[in-house]
């Protein structure tokens, strides 16, 4: 049974991916400092899967703590890296926070992979790396445009760091870029539960529906659509989760450079 470390395992996408990994026969360990998530979410994971997942409450920006925890929790066949701050508006207000957190955590993950011979990395990136593309829909071959926020820039830089490291590493890395994940596990025991006021449309809609918010504000009036508002792409969180599982399965099957 392959063992996978999921960074940010208590978060929205991380927790759903843990469920999918377990259901596909993998052993999983989580590492999450719970600064923007709750460790209690793994109790829900256990209710769904019947499996207790251990979480190491570690700030991945702390290199010594990261190395110590991964050494203790290992060995691992791969890492799926989610842990990052993701608010575009917050990143604009606090760019240094985002550059430090999102990039330092990735650097420490890669250093641990090198030190402990962990071969495979699935890096959870973002379609924000495409900026404002000239042509839609985007594909893997679409050139990256200017990043529209510090958050997007951390994903562009993060991909470059991972690509450069992959070039000298014996294993295989894969980047997954995707648009807005929405939804919840079919059991209703997992979903998008932000600790602070949400900015994503999905939880804003549900909060308005249950009366937690007075109204839902729709922004935009000059897009080339029927009502002038923008059209956005969404993907169900369980599809995103399964994509990460399939990505790791693909990497593990590689015997020569991609």
């Amino acid at each position: 049974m392959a063992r996978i470390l999921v960074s940010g395992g208590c978060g929205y996408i991380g927790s759903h991916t843990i469920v999918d990994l377990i259901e596909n026969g993998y052993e999983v360990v989580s590492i999450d400092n719970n600064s923007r998530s709750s460790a209690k979410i793994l109790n829900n994971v256990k209710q769904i899967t019947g499996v207790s997942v251990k979480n190491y409450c570690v700030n991945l920006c702390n290199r010594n703590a990261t190395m110590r925890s991964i050494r203790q929790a290992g060995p691992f066949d791969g890492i799926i890296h989610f842990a990052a701050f993701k608010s575009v508006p917050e990143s604009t207000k606090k760019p240094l926070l985002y550059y430090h957190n999102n990039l330092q955590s990735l650097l420490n993950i890669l250093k641990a992979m090198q030190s402990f011979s962990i071969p495979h990395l699935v890096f959870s990136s973002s379609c924000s790396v495409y900026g404002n593309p000239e042509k839609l829909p985007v594909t893997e071959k679409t050139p990256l445009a200017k990043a529209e926020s510090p958050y997007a820039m951390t994903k562009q830089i993060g991909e470059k760091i991972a690509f450069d490291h992959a070039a000298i590493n014996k294993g295989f890395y894969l980047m997954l870029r995707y648009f807005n994940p929405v939804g919840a596990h079919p059991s209703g025991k997992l979903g998008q539960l932000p600790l602070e006021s949400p900015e994503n449309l999905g939880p804003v809609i549900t909060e308005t529906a249950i009366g937690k918010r007075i109204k839902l504000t729709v922004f935009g009036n000059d897009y080339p659509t029927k009502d002038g508002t923008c059209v956005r792409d969404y993907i169900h969180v369980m599809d995103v989760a399964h994509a990460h599982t399939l990505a790791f399965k693909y990497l593990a099957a590689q015997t020569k450079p991609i």
Side-chain angles (χ1 to χ4, degrees), residues 232-255:
R232 303 188 74 190
D233 289 317
Y234 289 88
I235 180 171
H236 197 278
V237 65
M238 290 308 301
D239 291 330
V240 176
H242 191 52
H244 283 81
T245 300
L246 293 177
F248 179 82
K249 183 177 180 180
Y250 174 79
L251 292 182
Q254 300 306 306
T255 56

Side-chain angles (χ1 to χ4, degrees), residues 5-26:
L5 178 67
V6 177
S7 70
C10 298
Y12 177 43
I13 306 175
S15 60
H16 286 79
T17 300
I18 285 177
V19 168
D20 194 81
L21 288 167
I22 293 172
E23 291 178 343
N24 281 276
Y26 293 99

Side-chain angles (χ1 to χ4, degrees), residues 88-123:
V88 171
E90 183 184 42
S91 77
T92 301
K93 297 176 182 177
K94 303 176 181 179
L96 294 184
L97 173 68
Y98 272 67
Y99 285 119
H100 173 71
N101 182 80
N102 292 5
L103 298 179
Q104 189 61 54
S105 60
L106 173 62
L107 288 170
N108 288 340
I109 284 288
L110 294 175
K111 289 173 183 174
M113 292 181 68
Q114 188 170 28
S115 296
F116 306 128
S117 300
I118 302 172
H120 305 309
L121 173 73
V122 179
F123 177 60

Side-chain angles (χ1 to χ4, degrees), residues 23-215:
E23 291 178 343
N24 281 276
Y26 293 99
E27 183 180 350
V28 185
V29 175
S30 169
I31 187 165
D32 193 318
N33 70 347
N34 301 127
S35 64
R36 302 197 173 187
S37 63
S38 172
K40 295 180 181 179
I41 203 69
L42 294 179
N43 295 332
N44 300 62
V45 170
K46 183 178 181 180
Q47 291 179 35
I48 296 170
T49 65
V51 176
S52 295
V53 176
K54 181 174 179 58
N55 179 62
Y56 286 78
C57 188
V58 173
N59 183 348
L60 291 173
C61 291
N62 184 321
R63 180 182 180 184
N64 290 335
T66 299
M67 299 291 280
R68 182 170 57 251
S69 297
I70 294 179
R71 181 190 301 112
Q72 178 183 348
F76 293 107
D77 299 288
I79 296 178
I80 300 180
H81 183 52
F82 291 106
F85 293 160
K86 65 180 183 61
S87 169
V88 171
E90 183 184 42
S91 77
T92 301
K93 297 176 182 177
K94 303 176 181 179
L96 294 184
L97 173 68
Y98 272 67
Y99 285 119
H100 173 71
N101 182 80
N102 292 5
L103 298 179
Q104 189 61 54
S105 60
L106 173 62
L107 288 170
N108 288 340
I109 284 288
L110 294 175
K111 289 173 183 174
M113 292 181 68
Q114 188 170 28
S115 296
F116 306 128
S117 300
I118 302 172
H120 305 309
L121 173 73
V122 179
F123 177 60
S124 185
S125 188
S126 164
C127 278
S128 65
V129 298
Y130 293 111
N132 286 320
E134 295 181 359
K135 183 179 179 181
L136 294 174
V138 295
T139 71
E140 288 86 350
K141 296 181 180 180
T142 299
L144 304 190
K146 176 184 176 182
E148 296 296 313
S149 68
Y151 163 73
M153 181 61 79
T154 67
K155 290 299 185 181
Q156 286 188 354
I157 297 173
E159 286 193 6
K160 181 67 169 88
I161 291 171
F163 276 126
D164 288 345
H165 189 262
I168 55 91
N169 192 45
K170 294 181 179 180
F172 303 94
Y173 295 4
L174 194 150
M175 320 293 160
L176 289 183
R177 301 166 178 167
Y178 49 91
F179 285 106
N180 311 287
V182 293
H185 188 270
S187 68
K189 297 182 183 298
L190 285 180
Q192 194 166 7
L193 300 170
L195 298 183
E196 300 177 356
S197 180
E199 297 170 345
N200 302 80
L201 184 58
V204 171
I205 290 175
T206 56
E207 284 190 358
T208 306
I210 64 175
K212 191 173 181 178
R213 288 173 176 261
I214 298 175
K215 63 180 180 179

